Amino acid sequence: MLASSSRWRRELLDRLQIPYQCHSPDIDETPRSGETPHALVHRLALSKANAVAARFPHHCIIGSDQVAVFEGDILGKPHTAEKACANLARFSGQRVTFLTGLALLDTRSQRHQVHVEPFEVVFRTLSTQEIEHYVAKEQPLDSAGSFRMEGLGIALFEKLEGRDPNALIGLPLIALCNMLRQADLDPLGAR
């Protein structure tokens, strides 16, 4: 079970070739006072899985959440073109850290695993015209960091640094495979 409405996360999970269903969780994603970015994505990933657990009592439920962290600020989805452009202008020529929280809740055993996957991107120096063109063309208003790695967003970067580039899209598959194996659900079918 994938506790998400994100088509990007569904496309990533499809790569593992395991059967699953999707159900969108309804949770408040507002950071708590004093909450660190790491603690926020940890809490939200597990909260998303827990939010659908009652409806799926015999499933493994995957929850995930992501934020961008820049100069101490937690940046979620921009929601407007103006904010997306402002974020990208701020990121121009800079290093930005992305944290993706991943939770696997096994409602059969009531056990859960949570992992936070860091990933860093170094943005190219971007002109105002490049930023405006990108935002108008791709409309990344529902994406943490104001870009879509799975699309034209790759043209914004000088380099990527991290263990699993899938984390930038919102579902770190390497960590998820490890979690699934620990829950006796090996994606390769080995026992």
Side-chain angles (χ1 to χ4, degrees):
M1 168 60 57
L2 179 62
S4 177
S5 59
S6 166
R7 77 177 186 136
W8 311 112
R9 286 189 179 114
R10 287 192 311 268
E11 287 178 10
L12 285 173
L13 192 53
D14 286 345
R15 292 171 53 189
L16 298 185
Q17 300 179 20
I18 57 175
Y20 69 94
Q21 301 171 2
C22 288
H23 188 77
S24 183
D26 184 21
I27 66 164
D28 180 3
E29 297 185 6
T30 306
R32 294 178 178 159
S33 178
E35 189 171 38
T36 66
H38 188 280
L40 173 64
V41 295
H42 182 285
R43 176 178 62 83
L44 292 179
L46 188 55
S47 294
K48 287 178 178 183
N50 279 322
V52 302
R55 297 187 69 187
F56 302 95
H58 303 289
H59 290 77
C60 281
I61 302 170
I62 301 163
S64 186
D65 196 76
Q66 181 181 74
V67 296
V69 182
F70 183 67
E71 295 179 340
D73 293 335
I74 297 173
L75 305 168
K77 301 169 185 168
H79 300 293
T80 68
E82 294 76 24
K83 191 167 182 183
C85 287
N87 283 342
L88 293 175
R90 194 172 165 204
F91 298 161
S92 179
Q94 302 294 317
R95 176 181 300 271
V96 179
T97 301
F98 287 81
L99 297 174
T100 304
L102 175 66
L104 183 67
L105 171 63
D106 187 342
T107 58
R108 302 166 302 178
S109 65
Q110 295 306 308
R111 292 188 180 146
H112 70 269
Q113 303 170 59
V114 183
H115 172 76
V116 176
E117 185 79 27
F119 201 90
E120 293 191 345
V121 299
V122 177
F123 281 82
R124 291 184 316 98
T125 299
L126 303 167
S127 69
T128 300
Q129 184 179 19
E130 285 176 309
I131 291 169
E132 290 172 354
H133 179 76
Y134 172 74
V135 170
K137 190 167 189 168
E138 194 145 82
Q139 294 290 308
L141 309 183
D142 61 349
S143 300
S146 305
F147 69 87
R148 290 199 180 110
M149 170 64 180
E150 60 279 12
L152 186 58
I154 194 70
L156 302 171
F157 306 129
E158 183 175 305
K159 66 180 171 177
L160 306 173
E161 297 176 349
R163 177 175 84 138
D164 186 349
N166 298 300
L168 272 183
I169 303 171
L171 193 64
L173 293 180
I174 293 172
L176 179 58
C177 286
N178 290 336
M179 291 176 159
L180 290 169
R181 282 190 293 274
Q182 289 180 35
D184 294 325
L185 297 169
D186 189 337
L188 296 176
R191 295 281 175 223

